[in-house]
Amino acid sequence: MASPPDTVTVRGAHQFEIVGYSLIKGFAAGEFVRSDAFAVGGYRWSVRFYPGGFSAPYSAFVSAFLKITSKDARAWACFDLRLLDRATGLSRSVRRAAEPVVFDYSAPHRKCKGKRGARALMLRSELEASPYLRGDRLTIECVVDVAAAGVAPRQLRAPPSDLSKHLGDLLDQQDRTDVAFDVRGEVFRAHKAVLATRSPVFMAELYGGMKEEGMERIAIDDIQPVVFGALIRFIYTDVLVLPGDLEGDDYKEMVRHLLEAADRYGMDRMKVMCESILCRSLDASTVETTLALADQHYCTALKDVCLQFMSLGLEG
């Protein structure tokens, strides 16, 4: 019998705290530790963590999976695997299934349908140098949205995300801001938690070891206000907005400044978007400047395009 169209999902969350990471870091590929079982949506679940990787090809990584443990059960669910920053209490999503996937306890092991997750969750070296591992402790947070029994994915499809709109509105309304930046006399107000969640540099400046007393107002003299404004807008909305009155060389120069800001604040997606724009707008008058920029900020793809452009020019 078909499920009713207004079927809702049930959300649950579980924190798997691993105490004594050093005791398991030498596990071979395929060996794992599991969390206590927890219940969501009428099913039982557990989190599995593979410190030596899920299998030999992933031995440089740590792996993590959500597994359904209710015997002979079959469920549709979305899930979000997150790592908890032990210094700030904030968590970061590292593997998310936004669309529902099937968890089938009885499926053959080789299909891995009884568990879903990430074989390459994070490089082990990256994890061990990160703020997620402190005091020999690691916390994996798993958020699960489970459909009523028997519901198919088409009945669970969520509307398009409006998170960027809401965060953009939050920035525009300036509601409950708790930090201000004085950028060459122009003041930008923002929310520490949003900045820190999106940028590892802001995380360090606002919450980590680089934090200083009186950080509610921060002076920045080496970035143009229009560039810093575009950076903040991107942090909130994931949209790169450039002034509409820029053309030609002025437009390219603005993109170069945005790339530098993106690199400075660890905004990798914004940096790649700027690289893409510069790759498409190369010309003989700017290629040398762009090549120097690419070399300085480790933009491998942009550097390769510049060198290819120059090679073709020389051949011509």
Side-chain angles (χ1 to χ4, degrees), residues 86-97:
R86 304 196 66 82
T88 66
L90 301 173
S91 60
R92 167 197 163 195
S93 178
V94 287
R95 175 65 171 91
R96 181 170 179 263

Side-chain angles (χ1 to χ4, degrees), residues 143-163:
V143 180
V144 191
D145 291 298
V146 183
V151 177
R154 60 184 176 84
Q155 296 166 308
L156 277 171
R157 189 174 298 278
S161 173
D162 55 3
L163 178 61

Side-chain angles (χ1 to χ4, degrees), residues 15-308:
Q15 285 194 346
F16 178 23
E17 184 172 24
I18 299 169
V19 180
Y21 172 85
S22 60
L23 299 177
I24 64 171
K25 63 180 294 184
F27 275 22
E31 295 183 321
F32 62 88
V33 291
R34 66 165 62 90
S35 72
D36 292 336
F38 57 97
V40 182
Y43 303 97
R44 294 179 66 79
W45 310 84
S46 69
V47 176
R48 291 186 173 190
F49 177 68
Y50 298 72
F54 177 75
S55 59
Y58 300 92
S59 60
F61 296 86
V62 296
S63 308
F65 289 82
L66 171 67
K67 180 176 174 61
I68 189 168
T69 60
S70 294
K71 189 174 182 180
D72 297 327
R74 191 173 188 271
W76 289 96
C78 303
F79 66 92
D80 189 4
L81 291 170
R82 311 181 66 86
L83 292 179
L84 185 70
D85 186 320
R86 304 196 66 82
T88 66
L90 301 173
S91 60
R92 167 197 163 195
S93 178
V94 287
R95 175 65 171 91
R96 181 170 179 263
E99 293 290 334
V101 292
V102 66
F103 288 81
D104 191 345
Y105 180 93
S106 61
H109 175 72
R110 62 183 177 85
K111 294 184 179 180
C112 295
K113 286 189 176 180
K115 58 180 178 290
R116 301 281 187 165
R119 291 173 170 83
L121 184 76
M122 184 179 291
L123 283 168
R124 188 177 307 102
S125 57
E126 181 184 349
L127 174 67
E128 293 177 358
S130 74
Y132 307 118
L133 182 60
R134 290 291 184 270
D136 211 25
R137 292 173 177 238
L138 173 69
T139 300
I140 303 172
E141 183 178 61
C142 184
V143 180
V144 191
D145 291 298
V146 183
V151 177
R154 60 184 176 84
Q155 296 166 308
L156 277 171
R157 189 174 298 278
S161 173
D162 55 3
L163 178 61
S164 63
K165 177 184 182 302
H166 288 303
L167 287 177
D169 291 344
L170 179 67
L171 179 63
D172 291 334
Q173 295 163 7
Q174 299 285 282
D175 187 31
R176 297 183 182 180
T177 58
D178 54 3
V179 66
F181 299 89
D182 186 337
V183 185
R184 298 185 180 181
E186 188 170 338
V187 177
F188 296 85
R189 301 187 181 278
H191 306 81
K192 291 181 182 178
V194 176
L195 300 182
T197 300
R198 295 276 282 156
S199 163
V201 176
F202 278 127
M203 173 71 80
E205 289 183 350
L206 300 173
Y207 292 104
M210 296 171 62
K211 178 183 177 183
E212 299 177 4
E213 294 299 326
M215 288 287 284
E216 287 72 24
R217 193 178 186 93
I218 301 169
I220 298 177
D221 299 322
D222 54 353
I223 297 181
Q224 298 176 16
V226 66
V227 173
F228 191 80
L231 171 72
I232 295 297
R233 176 67 56 182
F234 186 88
I235 285 175
Y236 277 76
T237 66
D238 220 28
V239 175
L240 187 61
V241 180
L242 280 76
D245 57 349
L246 293 178
E247 295 181 359
D249 291 342
D250 291 336
Y251 178 84
K252 296 173 188 176
E253 184 65 16
M254 175 59 65
V255 176
R256 292 189 194 98
H257 287 308
L258 290 169
L259 186 148
E260 291 173 335
D263 187 44
R264 172 173 171 173
Y265 286 96
M267 298 298 300
D268 292 340
R269 175 174 163 79
M270 178 176 168
K271 181 179 174 182
V272 170
M273 291 171 70
C274 292
E275 281 190 77
S276 178
I277 293 171
L278 293 174
C279 284
R280 297 194 304 270
S281 60
L282 276 181
D283 58 43
S285 65
T286 61
V287 64
E288 291 187 2
T289 302
T290 303
L291 175 60
L293 179 77
D295 192 50
Q296 180 182 357
H297 295 282
Y298 306 101
C299 303
T300 304
L302 180 58
K303 182 177 179 178
D304 289 345
V305 172
C306 289
L307 291 173
Q308 183 179 16

